[in-house]
Amino acid sequence: MVKLIINEDENNLYLEVYNNGNPIPAENLSKIFKKGFSTKTNKSDHGFGLYNVKKITTKYGGSVELLYKDDFIIFRIMFNKDKILSP
């Protein structure tokens, strides 16, 4: 199951993607945001998705975190409201 939660607090906006699929092996945690990294066995399916998410998010002053909660892997994208909502 994949679920998407959009939330905010006083200072930040959050986009969280919860996934209870296959866990990410510990040896891959430091690599998942690197360009071209993929856990797929078919090497023609290169991993650019998380690399691009982090690159775009960082470009606009945000951050991406990887968290674990219960049986879910959570990718949290966070933007500071002052940085994105100012004219």
Side-chain angles (χ1 to χ4, degrees):
M1 173 177 44
V2 175
K3 72 180 169 179
L4 175 67
I5 296 176
I6 301 171
N7 208 347
E8 67 180 298
D9 63 23
E10 186 176 321
N11 299 311
N12 300 298
L13 300 171
Y14 302 94
L15 175 88
E16 296 178 334
V17 179
Y18 285 66
N19 186 336
N20 69 345
N22 295 331
I24 299 171
E27 65 269 14
N28 291 340
L29 292 176
S30 65
K31 305 174 198 173
I32 60 169
F33 293 108
K34 292 188 178 180
K35 186 176 184 180
F37 177 76
S38 178
T39 58
K40 297 177 180 130
T41 55
N42 182 351
K43 294 302 176 189
S44 66
D45 294 332
H46 291 288
F48 293 104
L50 290 175
Y51 166 79
N52 285 325
V53 166
K54 185 166 184 168
K55 184 176 175 183
I56 293 166
T57 301
T58 302
K59 178 180 178 179
Y60 291 100
S63 63
V64 180
E65 298 177 307
L66 172 66
L67 310 163
Y68 288 93
K69 183 177 180 181
D70 301 323
D71 292 334
F72 287 94
I73 298 168
I74 305 166
F75 290 95
R76 177 186 288 162
I77 301 171
M78 182 178 72
F79 290 99
N80 183 282
K81 288 180 181 179
D82 291 338
K83 291 183 180 179
I84 63 168
L85 298 178
S86 60

